[in-house]
């Protein structure tokens, strides 16, 4: 299963559409309060499915992020899932090699490892049993501040499509949803993961080739 996440609006509110094979699956909108506002996902009939809302944990306030450059663990950016999905999303940092995102619900426990390689921005999705079930790519060429993502999801885990779509929207809302960014035009981002980053160690360039064939993600 391949899903596309398109940002359709970037001004007082961010709006998105999630499609597969040209069919609309979900839509979403995010509050104009960067990082602090709620994010709501709707079905194809514009009925609310779930909401992600920011919660602040004591640990976030007690441990400065700069200390995670050392072997000190910090969990931050907690969001609560409510509605058709119930659970928690958060960002975990520990030392220079651990930067990962966690999604925990009653039925799923997923870990997402980022991998930045020049103009490529990938996210490797693993189960708690360390099986890779998906790959997400953010398209780093952005037009008019509207981001696009592609989600490659293995067939056995298609039931996580809404959950992973929610995480993509949350990631974009946290990292690229600043409403002060109002400039138009084309921009491109470049970044690199550290050599010891876990995403680099886990990356398999052949992942998805059998299932997605000519539509498989392009290897780094």
């Amino acid at each position: 299963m391949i899903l596309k996440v398109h940002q359709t609006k970037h001004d007082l509110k961010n709006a998105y559409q999630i499609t597969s094979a040209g069919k609309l699956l979900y839509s979403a909108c995010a509050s104009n309060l960067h990082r602090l506002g709620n994010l709501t996902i709707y079905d194809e009939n514009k009925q609310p499915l779930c909401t992600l809302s920011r919660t602040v944990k004591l640990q976030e306030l007690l441990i400065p992020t700069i200390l995670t450059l050392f072997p000190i663990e910090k969990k931050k950016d907690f969001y609560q899932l409510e509605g058709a999905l119930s659970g928690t999303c958060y960002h975990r940092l520990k030392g220079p090699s651990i930067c990962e995102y966690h999604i925990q619900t009653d039925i799923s426990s997923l870990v997402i490892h980022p991998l930045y390689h020049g103009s490529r921005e990938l996210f490797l999705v693993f189960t708690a049993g360390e099986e890779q079930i998906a790959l997400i790519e953010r398209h780093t060429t952005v037009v008019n501040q509207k981001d696009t993502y592609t989600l490659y999801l293995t067939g056995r885990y298609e039931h996580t499509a809404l959950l992973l779509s929610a995480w993509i929207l949350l990631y974009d809302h946290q990292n690229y949803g600043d409403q002060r960014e109002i400039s138009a035009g084309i921009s491109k981002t470049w970044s690199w993961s550290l050599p010891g980053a876990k995403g680099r160690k886990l990356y398999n360039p052949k992942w998805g080739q059998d299932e997605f064939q000519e539509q498989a993600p392009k290897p780094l």
Side-chain angles (χ1 to χ4, degrees):
M1 185 180 195
I2 299 177
L3 284 77
K4 296 283 187 180
V5 178
H6 306 275
Q7 186 173 356
T8 58
K9 187 177 181 182
H10 180 94
D11 46 34
L12 297 179
K13 286 190 176 182
N14 289 334
Y16 304 85
Q17 289 186 342
I18 298 93
T19 61
S20 181
K23 179 182 177 182
L24 177 67
L25 300 181
Y26 317 113
S27 59
C29 68
S31 166
N32 59 4
L33 294 175
H34 180 48
R35 289 180 175 266
L36 298 177
N38 291 348
L39 193 155
T40 304
I41 302 176
Y42 304 87
D43 64 16
E44 68 274 18
N45 297 314
K46 298 185 179 180
Q47 296 300 310
L49 277 174
C50 61
T51 300
L52 295 101
S53 54
R54 182 79 162 90
T55 59
V56 179
K57 304 289 186 180
L58 181 61
Q59 187 198 67
E60 293 185 76
L61 305 177
L62 294 178
I63 303 177
T65 300
I66 193 171
L67 290 182
T68 61
L69 295 174
F70 306 97
I72 297 175
E73 180 180 85
K74 178 175 182 175
K75 296 177 181 178
K76 65 172 192 168
D77 298 333
F78 285 85
Y79 275 77
Q80 195 70 28
L81 282 159
E82 296 176 321
L85 299 173
S86 178
T88 303
C89 302
Y90 63 89
H91 187 185
R92 175 177 176 256
L93 299 168
K94 185 178 181 180
S97 62
I98 301 297
C99 171
E100 56 194 30
Y101 300 88
H102 288 252
I103 308 172
Q104 295 179 343
T105 71
D106 295 339
I107 59 173
S108 300
S109 181
L110 304 177
V111 183
I112 301 175
H113 302 277
L115 174 56
Y116 308 107
H117 190 82
S119 63
R120 302 288 300 280
E121 191 171 323
L122 306 181
F123 301 89
L124 316 178
V125 184
F126 285 80
T127 65
E130 298 190 346
E131 174 190 2
Q132 185 174 354
I133 65 166
L135 184 147
I136 300 164
E137 178 159 14
R138 174 179 175 263
H139 300 256
T140 54
T141 299
V142 179
V143 179
N144 296 334
Q145 299 291 347
K146 296 175 182 176
D147 292 288
T148 303
Y149 298 76
T150 301
L151 165 61
Y152 302 88
L153 180 60
T154 56
R156 290 196 303 117
Y157 288 90
E158 287 186 2
H159 63 278
T160 65
L162 175 58
L163 184 59
L164 289 174
S165 296
W167 181 83
I168 293 171
L169 296 169
L170 177 58
Y171 176 83
D172 192 77
H173 180 50
Q174 287 181 309
N175 294 277
Y176 302 101
D178 196 329
Q179 301 304 320
R180 293 170 297 178
E181 298 174 349
I182 58 174
S183 59
I186 298 175
S187 63
K188 192 171 185 69
T189 55
W190 295 74
S191 54
W192 298 88
S193 293
L194 294 173
K198 194 168 182 179
R200 287 198 178 279
K201 297 177 181 178
L202 293 172
Y203 177 65
N204 175 10
K206 295 183 179 180
W207 183 88
Q209 289 184 359
D210 290 339
E211 180 161 355
F212 301 108
Q213 299 182 13
E214 70 275 2
Q215 292 183 293
K218 182 181 177 181
L220 295 179

